[in-house]
């Protein structure tokens, strides 16, 4: 029964965890989202995906979805069973979620009206989960299959931005077949790129987030180790030149009249880290400046570019767009995140808070937009 005809509160399945290296960040995000959802307005069903891909029924306990003593949380620690599995039928006429354990009769958990996926990285943020939900006919928060895939793959993301005339920095891509066929030639390709654009370089997985697998390489001596680290997360790697300037972020949220941009934020230099890496973001909690100290003209420009990036990639719901404000005064777009973090220190909700949209209101707006949006071609 859909939310349009049902007198009951819409049922939200918050799906989190997942198989990517960003598993723990997804759990952190889920805890914040679960804490913020208005329980007077929505019924909530937390579903965690373990690192090996099992869909697990988990405790609705945001306090256990947090960093404790610098230790990251996991779905395995939250699951109600080590073997039980949640199944979402791939049938647009049936939204009944079923839970089963070996040797037991499957138990119906009721119908789901909307899914709030808070998965980060491959197998969740990249269009795979979105495709499953499209087949199931279940509305969901955020971008569709294409935009999610483009937002995850930094190679094709930059190609899309370039085709729409958006400014991107110099980069090079090493595809899996290139490396497997001739590693020496692939390495020379990177060295030639460094010869043209200079050291240092950033070597990163093409399809990962939360600064996973990224290495700042100052010279030739650190290149092989950086390539190995990036390929540990993704067989396709991206190489970028250092862009000197300020790191600026901007949130985009879809309203009834279209996407709007938040006030921007600035990520200040992190003195204890080479760059804004995983530990700086999530363990040491580097503080962003919200709003960013920009001129009115700079603020308007970055907001314009953020919305343009949202539209170029055919995004829906929400996006966080990341930029560099170069020393010459020009903005360059680094990347977009179609499912940005919602942890207590995450920049996306902080930017919207400063823009007049509270955290609970932000969650409600995303859920309402998803409930009103159909699956399929749109």
């Amino acid at each position: 029964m859909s939310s349009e005809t049902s007198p009951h509160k819409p049922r939200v399945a918050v799906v989190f965890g997942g198989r990517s290296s960003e598993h723990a960040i997804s759990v952190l995000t889920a805890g914040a989202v679960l804490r913020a959802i208005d329980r007077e307005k929505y019924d909530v069903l937390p579903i965690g995906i373990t690192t090996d891909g099992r869909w697990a029924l988990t405790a609705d306990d945001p306090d256990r979805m947090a960093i404790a003593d610098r230790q990251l949380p996991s779905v395995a620690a939250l699951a109600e069973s080590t073997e039980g599995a949640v199944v979402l039928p791939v049938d647009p006429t049936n939204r009944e979620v079923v839970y089963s354990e070996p040797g037991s009769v499957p138990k119906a958990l009721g119908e789901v009206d909307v899914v709030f996926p808070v998965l980060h990285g491959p197998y969740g943020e990249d269009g795979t989960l979105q495709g499953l939900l499209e087949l199931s006919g279940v509305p969901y928060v955020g971008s569709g299959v294409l935009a999610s895939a483009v937002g995850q793959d930094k190679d094709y993301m930059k190609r899309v931005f370039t085709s729409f005339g958006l400014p991107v920095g110099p980069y090079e891509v090493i595809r899996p077949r290139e490396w497997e066929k001739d590693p020496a030639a692939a390495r020379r390709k990177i060295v030639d790129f460094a010869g043209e654009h200079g050291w240092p370089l950033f070597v990163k997985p093409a399809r990962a987030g939360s600064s996973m697998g990224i290495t700042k390489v100052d010279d030739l001596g650190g290149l092989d180790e950086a390539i190995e680290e990036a390929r540990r997360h993704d067989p396709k790697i991206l190489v970028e030149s250092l862009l000197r300037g300020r790191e600026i972020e901007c949130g985009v949220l879809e309203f009834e009249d279209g996407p709007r941009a938040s006030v921007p934020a600035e990520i200040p230099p992190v003195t204890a880290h080479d760059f804004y890496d995983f530990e700086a973001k999530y363990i040491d909690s580097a503080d962003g400046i919200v709003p960013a100290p920009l001129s009115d003209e700079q603020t308007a420009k970055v907001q314009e570019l953020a919305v343009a990036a949202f539209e170029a990639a055919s995004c829906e719901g929400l996006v966080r767009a990341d930029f560099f404000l170069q020393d010459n005064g020009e903005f360059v777009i680094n990347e977009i995140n179609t499912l940005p973090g919602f942890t207590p220190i995450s920049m996306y909700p902080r930017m919207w808070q400063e823009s007049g949209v509270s955290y609970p209101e932000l969650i409600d707006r995303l859920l309402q937009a998803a409930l009103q949006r159909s699956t399929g071609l749109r």
Side-chain angles (χ1 to χ4, degrees):
M1 188 180 295
S2 72
S3 59
E4 295 177 353
T5 60
S6 172
H8 68 255
K9 295 182 289 186
R11 195 144 193 250
V12 182
V14 178
V15 180
F16 63 98
R19 295 163 56 189
S20 83
S21 55
E22 297 176 79
H23 177 95
I25 305 310
S26 176
V27 180
L28 293 173
T29 296
V33 169
L34 287 170
R35 190 175 283 110
I37 290 178
D38 184 353
R39 303 306 177 99
E40 296 295 319
K41 193 170 183 178
Y42 302 100
D43 284 329
V44 178
L45 177 65
I47 299 174
I49 301 177
T50 63
T51 53
D52 61 2
R54 179 172 63 93
W55 288 46
L57 194 61
T58 65
D60 185 1
D61 188 354
D63 290 340
R64 293 171 59 197
M65 302 177 183
I67 296 174
D69 299 323
R70 298 178 72 88
Q71 296 299 309
L72 295 167
S74 69
V75 168
L78 294 161
E80 295 191 355
S81 165
T82 58
E83 295 183 307
V86 174
V87 178
L88 181 69
V90 185
D91 179 354
T93 66
N94 176 21
R95 294 183 184 174
E96 186 82 42
V97 176
V98 176
Y99 177 73
S100 63
E101 291 194 50
S104 301
V105 176
K107 179 174 66 175
L109 299 179
E111 295 185 338
V112 167
D113 295 290
V114 61
V115 170
F116 198 140
V118 292
L119 294 144
H120 302 307
Y123 312 110
E125 189 181 354
D126 60 350
T128 50
L129 178 66
Q130 290 75 15
L132 172 63
L133 296 173
E134 292 286 349
L135 290 172
S136 302
V138 180
Y140 53 93
V141 169
S143 291
V145 175
L146 174 65
S148 297
V150 168
Q152 185 65 35
D153 191 317
K154 296 177 180 65
D155 172 15
Y156 285 96
M157 181 196 305
K158 291 176 185 291
R159 292 172 186 270
V160 168
F161 290 159
T162 300
S163 72
F164 277 82
L166 298 175
V168 302
Y171 71 98
E172 188 60 85
V173 178
I174 304 297
R175 299 175 182 276
R177 286 195 186 93
E178 287 183 82
W179 186 260
E180 291 158 9
K181 182 179 179 180
D182 192 341
R187 191 173 183 274
R188 281 196 302 273
K189 187 176 174 181
I190 299 174
V191 173
D192 290 344
F193 178 81
E196 181 178 357
H197 298 285
W199 302 91
L201 302 177
F202 287 94
V203 179
K204 59 178 66 175
R207 294 163 292 192
S210 296
S211 298
M212 292 285 190
I214 300 178
T215 305
K216 182 182 177 185
V217 184
D218 293 314
D219 52 44
L220 197 59
L223 183 58
D224 289 345
E225 186 178 349
I227 293 171
E228 183 179 336
E229 171 62 14
R231 282 181 52 81
R232 194 168 64 84
H233 296 268
D234 185 351
K236 180 163 75 166
I237 66 172
L238 193 76
V239 180
E240 296 175 336
S241 62
L242 174 67
L243 295 176
R244 301 188 185 279
R246 299 159 61 188
E247 291 190 52
I248 306 295
E249 298 185 347
C250 190
V252 181
L253 179 63
E254 197 167 8
F255 287 76
E256 290 79 7
D257 60 350
R260 302 181 198 169
S262 70
V263 300
E266 180 169 4
I267 307 300
V270 186
T271 56
H273 302 264
D274 271 347
F275 60 98
Y276 194 42
D277 62 6
F278 179 87
E279 289 226 344
K281 284 182 179 179
Y282 300 105
I283 305 297
D284 293 339
S285 304
D287 289 329
I289 303 168
V290 188
L294 300 171
S295 69
D296 291 345
E297 292 77 13
Q298 289 172 327
T299 295
K301 182 61 177 178
V302 77
Q303 289 174 326
E304 175 191 336
L305 288 171
V307 171
F310 182 97
E311 298 281 34
S314 298
C315 296
E316 295 169 289
L318 72 163
V319 150
R320 193 194 73 232
D322 300 346
F323 299 86
F324 289 104
L325 175 55
Q326 299 180 100
D327 293 342
N328 63 6
E330 298 295 321
F331 282 101
V332 168
I333 184 165
N334 184 38
E335 65 180 48
I336 57 172
N337 282 267
T338 55
L339 282 173
F342 277 80
T343 68
I345 62 170
S346 294
M347 297 309 299
Y348 185 84
R350 285 184 60 194
M351 288 187 287
W352 279 109
Q353 176 80 37
E354 191 68 27
S355 304
V357 181
S358 69
Y359 197 169
E361 183 185 349
L362 179 61
I363 300 299
D364 181 59
R365 180 170 287 280
L366 290 169
L367 288 170
Q368 287 299 314
L371 284 164
Q372 293 163 20
R373 195 164 54 228
S374 64
T375 53
L377 300 176
R378 53 189 184 274

